Amino acid sequence: VKQIISIIAFIFISLSISSQGSSDQLIRKGISLHDKGRYSEAIIYYQQALKANPTSMSATYEMSLTYLQMKDYNNALKYSTKVINANFRPLFVAAYCVTSSALANLNKFDDAIKLLQEGLTRCGNEYLLHYNLGLSYCKKKDNQSAIKHLQKAIEIDTTHPGAFLLYAHALNETGNWIESFLSFHFFLFLEPNTSRSKEAFGEMYSML
């Protein structure tokens, strides 16, 4: 009897490991398709990964991220909320960011802000949470609150160009054009050769 139980346990563990391996491969394929802009195809691979491993938070999160890119905000909310509710720490901050972005794009700015503040309580002073709070406040036209959180994001991570760019816009909206000019300057130092940098240089030139 013990031998039979051992054999059954071995088969179960082997199938579980095989399923996990298959799920990871499908997720990697989905991510590759996402990066190429083939979002609908990526979703199919994530769905297959979840069939192979229904508890995969990685597949669930990647699904939410791809739906966000597709502007299917309700499905992005559905899957990113699952990651948060599962208390899956490795993707906790990322899931909060996707959920808040989906809410903000649905014009639910107060809900997005409340969620991100909850994220700060649960995750601590994470750069991305402060940045997304700044973004949500900017969309809500509350530039003073946006400035506060973008300053915090820059203090935590001085190498991310997006925070400097958004900070520059928020400062400009409040009439702080000198500080705005300097923030545009730091953005261009970090990101000199993109379409965003051309627009930022144009705004700096108009300030002068």
Side-chain angles (χ1 to χ4, degrees), residues 6-48:
S6 298
I7 291 168
I8 292 171
F10 176 77
I11 292 170
F12 177 79
I13 293 168
S14 298
L15 288 172
S16 178
I17 292 170
S18 176
S19 174
Q20 182 64 44
S22 174
S23 174
D24 290 343
Q25 290 172 2
L26 291 165
I27 293 168
R28 285 195 293 271
K29 180 63 177 176
I31 292 170
S32 175
L33 289 166
H34 173 103
D35 292 344
K36 294 173 183 175
R38 294 160 62 180
Y39 304 125
S40 297
E41 295 174 63
I43 290 293
I44 292 170
Y45 277 91
Y46 299 143
Q47 288 171 338
Q48 291 175 357

Side-chain angles (χ1 to χ4, degrees), residues 57 60-62 64-65 68 76-103 115-116 118-119 122-123 128-129 132:
M57 288 297 107
T60 304
Y61 167 73
E62 294 297 341
S64 74
L65 187 61
L68 182 68
L77 277 173
K78 174 184 174 182
Y79 287 98
S80 59
T81 301
K82 285 183 178 181
V83 179
I84 293 172
N85 291 341
N87 202 28
F88 188 67
R89 290 286 167 174
L91 292 171
F92 221 30
V93 172
Y96 269 107
C97 292
V98 171
T99 307
S100 64
S101 295
L103 287 168
L115 181 83
L116 288 164
E118 174 196 297
R122 297 180 73 181
C123 306
L128 282 172
L129 296 178
N132 277 272

